Amino acid sequence: MCICVFGIVGNFLNIKVFLKQGLRTSVNQSLCAMSLSDLLGLIFQVWHNFCMNPYLELAGLPVDFLKIQILTAGCPNVAMTRITGWITMYITAERCLSVLLPLRIRQLVTVKRTAVVLVLCYCINLAFYLPLYAGNYLSWRFYPNLNKTMLGVSSWGNADLVDWVMNVSHFYLSVIAFICVVIFTVVLVVSLKRKSRWRRSATSDRDQNEALSSRENKTVGMVIMVAVVLIVCYAPGVTISFVEVFYPDFGISAKQENAYHVIWSFCFVFHSVNASINVIVYYRMSSKYRNTLQEIFPVFKSKAKLDDKLGN
């Protein structure tokens, strides 16, 4: 829960900063859109954590929280997580192109094209949830084992088909984004290292070499960190996607339903970490972001000055 609260505040700050800077660049557009998906995902995660609280059963409330969280928390959270993955895929692809084709990047990647791509990232991932919400709905149901009526989830039918569509779509959409981010990041890191060596050999001034190498090392370090965080945080979810496709008994409404919910709860923790850590990355590695944040919230500027004094 603490991770979610920190991430919600952090992503709110991210959106505030990027709107303050303006969405006139593709980078700001992408980062703002990703912060929005992270923010929404964390809000759904807070509700998911509440629904999964085992003490709710002792309260005797007429609500089947384990069932309703599927439509109101779990699936929306996964959708936002996938959207974040797709936006990250676009960002890494764009940065990769900027290194490989520096003279054509402005013609290839424009503000309007970026806006279209970001809208598609949202629409494509959300569209695959239409069968789920078209075939299931919240309703009052009688539970014979409890001898009481509770708010739960009912379906119009074709539950097996809906589950199959959800599993297959989630598998492909998650795996595509995951693999592409890894590939684009590797290409970007290799390209930056090659250009760094070439510039060092082509530049005679030693101080300029050291400054250039330092800047590029920071860029490479940030890319590697983003890739590692993404791989670590998304690997469990991608693995579960493989299991869902090749092991039909493991699913939302399958025989291994309880194990499914428990394992996905751990996956959601990793997703929450990934959605919450960006504010730290931006603040530590982007002076432009840091200056804008300090301009909006002077308290950060005062804290930075205090840290500098203590450091000296």
Side-chain angles (χ1 to χ4, degrees), residues 30-93:
S30 301
L31 295 179
C32 187
M34 186 168 65
S35 297
L36 178 61
S37 63
D38 286 338
L39 175 62
L40 294 175
L42 289 169
I43 292 174
F44 286 124
Q45 182 59 47
V46 171
W47 173 239
H48 178 267
N49 292 341
F50 177 82
C51 292
M52 298 298 289
N53 191 329
Y55 291 103
L56 287 176
E57 295 184 4
L58 302 178
L61 299 175
V63 180
D64 188 353
F65 287 99
L66 186 61
K67 290 295 184 181
I68 69 168
Q69 65 84 22
I70 296 174
L71 296 181
T72 62
C75 288
N77 187 9
V78 173
M80 293 301 112
T81 300
R82 282 205 321 232
I83 291 172
T84 295
W86 274 61
I87 295 176
T88 305
M89 177 179 66
Y90 174 73
I91 293 174
T92 53

Side-chain angles (χ1 to χ4, degrees), residues 219-231:
T219 303
V220 172
M222 185 176 66
V223 171
I224 293 175
M225 184 180 66
V226 170
V228 170
V229 171
L230 181 71
I231 292 171

Side-chain angles (χ1 to χ4, degrees), residues 1-294:
M1 184 65 74
C2 294
I3 297 175
C4 293
V5 174
F6 174 80
I8 289 173
V9 175
N11 282 290
F12 173 79
L13 294 177
N14 290 341
I15 295 173
K16 188 78 173 176
V17 168
F18 295 133
L19 291 178
K20 176 70 174 179
Q21 293 177 351
L23 303 180
R24 295 180 296 273
T25 64
S26 59
V27 174
N28 275 18
Q29 280 185 329
S30 301
L31 295 179
C32 187
M34 186 168 65
S35 297
L36 178 61
S37 63
D38 286 338
L39 175 62
L40 294 175
L42 289 169
I43 292 174
F44 286 124
Q45 182 59 47
V46 171
W47 173 239
H48 178 267
N49 292 341
F50 177 82
C51 292
M52 298 298 289
N53 191 329
Y55 291 103
L56 287 176
E57 295 184 4
L58 302 178
L61 299 175
V63 180
D64 188 353
F65 287 99
L66 186 61
K67 290 295 184 181
I68 69 168
Q69 65 84 22
I70 296 174
L71 296 181
T72 62
C75 288
N77 187 9
V78 173
M80 293 301 112
T81 300
R82 282 205 321 232
I83 291 172
T84 295
W86 274 61
I87 295 176
T88 305
M89 177 179 66
Y90 174 73
I91 293 174
T92 53
E94 178 191 359
R95 295 181 65 186
C96 188
L97 287 175
S98 67
V99 173
L100 298 177
L101 303 172
L103 300 179
R104 298 184 57 191
I105 185 63
R106 291 188 177 181
Q107 289 77 26
L108 294 174
V109 180
T110 63
V111 174
K112 291 183 179 180
R113 289 177 181 175
T114 297
V116 171
V117 170
L118 295 175
V119 171
L120 287 176
C121 287
Y122 273 85
C123 292
I124 291 174
N125 283 278
L126 294 177
F128 283 96
Y129 281 92
L130 290 178
L132 176 67
Y133 287 95
N136 297 273
Y137 59 96
L138 300 180
S139 67
W140 294 97
R141 300 183 58 187
F142 179 72
Y143 289 75
N145 57 327
L146 300 176
N147 193 29
K148 62 188 300 187
T149 300
M150 301 175 64
L151 181 64
V153 176
S154 300
S155 63
W156 297 105
N158 297 324
D160 294 337
L161 178 61
V162 171
D163 289 343
W164 182 83
V165 172
M166 293 299 300
N167 291 339
V168 173
S169 63
H170 178 67
F171 171 78
Y172 282 107
L173 292 175
S174 300
V175 171
I176 288 173
F178 183 81
I179 293 177
C180 287
V181 168
V182 174
I183 293 175
F184 291 148
T185 304
V186 170
V187 172
L188 180 60
V189 171
V190 172
S191 300
L192 285 175
K193 286 186 176 181
R194 286 181 178 176
K195 288 198 172 186
S196 178
R197 288 196 296 267
W198 177 82
R199 287 172 179 172
R200 283 197 297 268
S201 62
T203 307
S204 57
D205 187 80
R206 180 178 178 182
D207 294 336
Q208 186 176 356
N209 273 333
E210 292 179 353
L212 184 62
S213 177
S214 176
R215 289 197 301 269
E216 292 187 349
N217 284 338
K218 289 181 180 180
T219 303
V220 172
M222 185 176 66
V223 171
I224 293 175
M225 184 180 66
V226 170
V228 170
V229 171
L230 181 71
I231 292 171
V232 171
C233 294
Y234 277 51
V238 173
T239 303
I240 297 302
S241 300
F242 277 96
V243 177
E244 290 180 44
V245 171
F246 298 105
Y247 185 56
D249 289 339
F250 185 80
I252 295 179
S253 303
K255 294 180 180 179
Q256 301 296 330
E257 177 183 0
N258 292 334
Y260 179 88
H261 288 297
V262 171
I263 294 176
W264 263 111
S265 296
F266 285 102
C267 293
F268 285 151
V269 173
F270 287 101
H271 294 167
S272 299
V273 172
N274 182 74
S276 303
I277 201 172
N278 287 336
V279 63
I280 300 176
V281 175
Y282 300 152
Y283 188 83
R284 297 286 296 180
M285 298 189 172
S286 174
S287 58
K288 183 179 179 181
Y289 176 93
R290 189 163 53 249
N291 292 335
T292 305
L293 183 63
Q294 292 172 358

